[in-house]
Amino acid sequence: MRRTQVGIVGAGPAGLVLSHLLYRQGIESVVLESRTREYVQERVRAGVLEQNTVDLLTDLGVGERMRREGLVHRGIELRFQGRGHRIDFDELTGGRAITIYAQAEVIKDLIDARLAAGQPIVFEAENVSVHNLEGPRPSIQFRKDKDSEPEELFCDFIAGCDGFHGVCRPSIPNEALTVYERGYPFAWLGILAEAPPSSEELVYSHHDRGFALLSMRSRQLSRLYLQCPGDENINDWPDERIWQELRTRLACDGWTLTEGPILQKGITEMRSWVVEPMQFGRLFLAGDSAHIVPPTGAKGLNLAVADVRILARAIAEFYSSGSCGLLDTYSDTCLRRVWKVQRFSWWMTSMLHRFDSDNAFDRRRQLGELDYVTSSRAAAQSLAENYVGLPME
Ligand code: FAD
Ligand code: DHB
């Protein structure tokens, strides 16, 4: 039998950043992760860090490699009708920027630093389950591996940082939660290619055949996405078909797409999803376990980090003063940001994608919106302040 102050389920961005924030305040935690260390460090996912996220990682002392290897971008391009239009973050937000640094690299840095500090992460934890959530001493049951005896970890609080398919949220009675959701009739096909990025900055392209996005992971690696039908089979997309479609959708006068060997490809579903409240008794949900945004605008990871920042502050207040004030308002505080980020991600998705149900009016309206956003300073500024990250509470 063991005990800790905070039991953290999941070693994704939410769980690992939380463990560092707590450690800095002298609060003990144990992180339990069902996958191997290699798996969580190699998973290809997000790549855009908001200024807030960069500042926090730096502050936590895990930003050294990010500062060396990350690419700082001060704008993005919106492309439509074959022309590009730059949104200048620097000028529109008073000098704020984003950093391109892969989620997998963030995870590596967070794991290295936690293990170097001698703090526990249990990888490959089996049969993880959470109990007594409404009492003063919740617990997490798990096995260290398939052959070992079940263990029980008693905690003051449990942080459910185990993503959309985790066990924490489903352990809360249905009647205690309300779900808000919206699906999209399309997905993103993403590739990682060994090719120097064809543009300095990210390009979001609206095209009659569907959306395309040019992003990158480094000066040698491009990350590209294509809107595709929701039920698409990746086997129907040989490399040449992907490049052909990217060339068509990203086409722009005087610009060519750099191609190279495709190292990885996959399809990502798109949905907007929120559960309220983000707390049940002493279980606090954070990140993808409580909400999912469609990827347009790159907010998923950043929102997960914003949640745990609020949670760490609330837990620290509890230990320093005995007050539950910030814990009681945790869910409401997070949800104010969550809904603003949901709005932004839905809006970027709606403006840039092709919806088959749209009629000719809707298509002209979409172009009108893109023209507005790229020609009005007020509209461009609204996009920019959301993209670089709204201020923290
Ligand atoms: P996660 O990163 O999902 O971490 C949860 C962790 O919990 C995982 O390590 C998981 O293995 C673990 N876990 C699950 N169940 C258990 C259990 N029972 N016991 C113990 N551990 C458990 N966002 C963007 O902004 N841009 C993108 O391009 C982008 N691409 C994505 C592509 C894919 C395929 C996916 C799935 C997501 C993508 N996202 C993207 C979203 C972004 O990666 C997530 O929002 C972010 O990872 C959320 O962090 P998290 O810590 O809340 O959850
Ligand atoms: C990336 C993902 C996004 O969802 C986005 O809007 C921009 C970039 C990326 O994976 O690089």
Side-chain angles (χ1 to χ4, degrees), residues 92-111:
L92 292 165
T93 68
R96 292 169 74 76
I98 52 154
T99 297
I100 306 296
Y101 188 63
Q103 177 167 338
E105 305 307 319
V106 175
I107 296 289
K108 273 179 213 157
D109 297 343
L110 288 165
I111 291 175

Side-chain angles (χ1 to χ4, degrees), residues 35-247:
R35 304 286 195 157
T36 63
R37 179 175 180 182
E38 294 67 37
Y39 183 90
V40 297
Q41 293 188 164
E42 298 306 326
R43 223 167 5 194
V44 180
R45 284 189 166 184
V48 176
L49 306 183
E50 284 179 1
Q51 181 84 56
N52 295 314
T53 306
V54 169
D55 293 346
L56 179 67
L57 294 173
T58 305
D59 203 31
L60 284 171
V62 291
E64 202 244 323
R65 199 163 63 95
M66 170 183 71
R67 245 191 336 276
R68 257 188 296 123
E69 297 177 16
L71 305 173
V72 175
H73 285 192
R74 303 187 185 283
I76 54 165
E77 181 181 324
L78 296 184
R79 202 173 272 188
F80 55 98
Q81 295 187 302
R83 290 188 49 206
H85 308 259
R86 182 164 190 261
I87 306 286
D88 183 339
F89 295 159
D90 202 37
E91 196 262 321
L92 292 165
T93 68
R96 292 169 74 76
I98 52 154
T99 297
I100 306 296
Y101 188 63
Q103 177 167 338
E105 305 307 319
V106 175
I107 296 289
K108 273 179 213 157
D109 297 343
L110 288 165
I111 291 175
D112 283 350
R114 180 157 173 91
L115 297 179
Q119 297 303 303
I121 307 178
V122 180
F123 290 103
E124 298 177 76
E126 299 265 343
N127 302 89
V128 176
S129 58
V130 293
H131 304 273
N132 298 322
L133 302 177
E134 289 184 281
R137 187 56 40 101
S139 70
I140 307 177
Q141 290 177 12
F142 66 103
R143 287 171 197 262
K144 278 230 176 75
D145 55 59
K146 276 191 217 63
D147 307 318
S148 53
E149 290 296 306
E151 294 189 30
E152 187 154 23
L153 177 69
F154 291 92
C155 318
D156 296 332
F157 302 102
I158 297 177
C161 301
D162 49 349
F164 190 64
H165 301 286
V167 290
C168 289
R169 193 188 61 247
S171 307
I172 302 174
N174 276 339
E175 57 279 13
L177 297 177
T178 307
V179 169
Y180 300 89
E181 70 180 314
R182 182 186 219 291
Y184 299 90
F186 42 74
W188 277 14
L189 188 162
I191 63 163
L192 193 64
E194 212 177 309
S198 331
S199 286
E200 285 279 307
E201 295 178 338
L202 270 54
V203 179
Y204 287 79
S205 183
H206 169 83
H207 190 275
D208 284 347
R209 293 178 61 83
F211 170 71
L213 169 62
L214 180 145
S215 180
M216 61 200 72
R217 287 293 175 267
S218 67
R219 296 198 192 284
Q220 292 78 37
L221 279 180
S222 294
R223 175 88 171 135
L224 296 132
Y225 296 97
L226 281 172
Q227 175 185 354
C228 66
D231 53 359
E232 200 71 324
N233 182 346
I234 193 73
N235 297 322
D236 293 335
W237 286 86
D239 295 3
E240 182 40 39
R241 181 177 175 206
I242 295 175
W243 287 118
Q244 174 60 46
E245 200 59 37
L246 284 167
R247 279 193 296 268

Side-chain angles (χ1 to χ4, degrees), residues 272-338:
S272 301
W273 199 97
V274 181
V275 72
E276 293 192 10
M278 291 168 56
Q279 174 196 1
F280 180 74
R282 286 189 167 231
L283 169 65
F284 294 84
L285 303 177
D288 278 14
S289 72
H291 40 71
I292 297 286
V293 288
T296 335
K299 288 292 165 213
L301 181 162
N302 295 295
L303 193 54
V305 171
D307 286 351
V308 295
R309 202 171 178 144
I310 295 163
L311 184 54
R313 195 172 57 191
I315 294 174
E317 186 200 55
F318 173 84
Y319 285 116
S320 65
S321 72
S323 162
C324 289
L326 292 180
L327 285 168
D328 292 342
T329 54
Y330 166 74
S331 177
D332 287 346
T333 308
C334 286
L335 285 165
R336 283 191 63 203
R337 185 182 190 85
V338 166

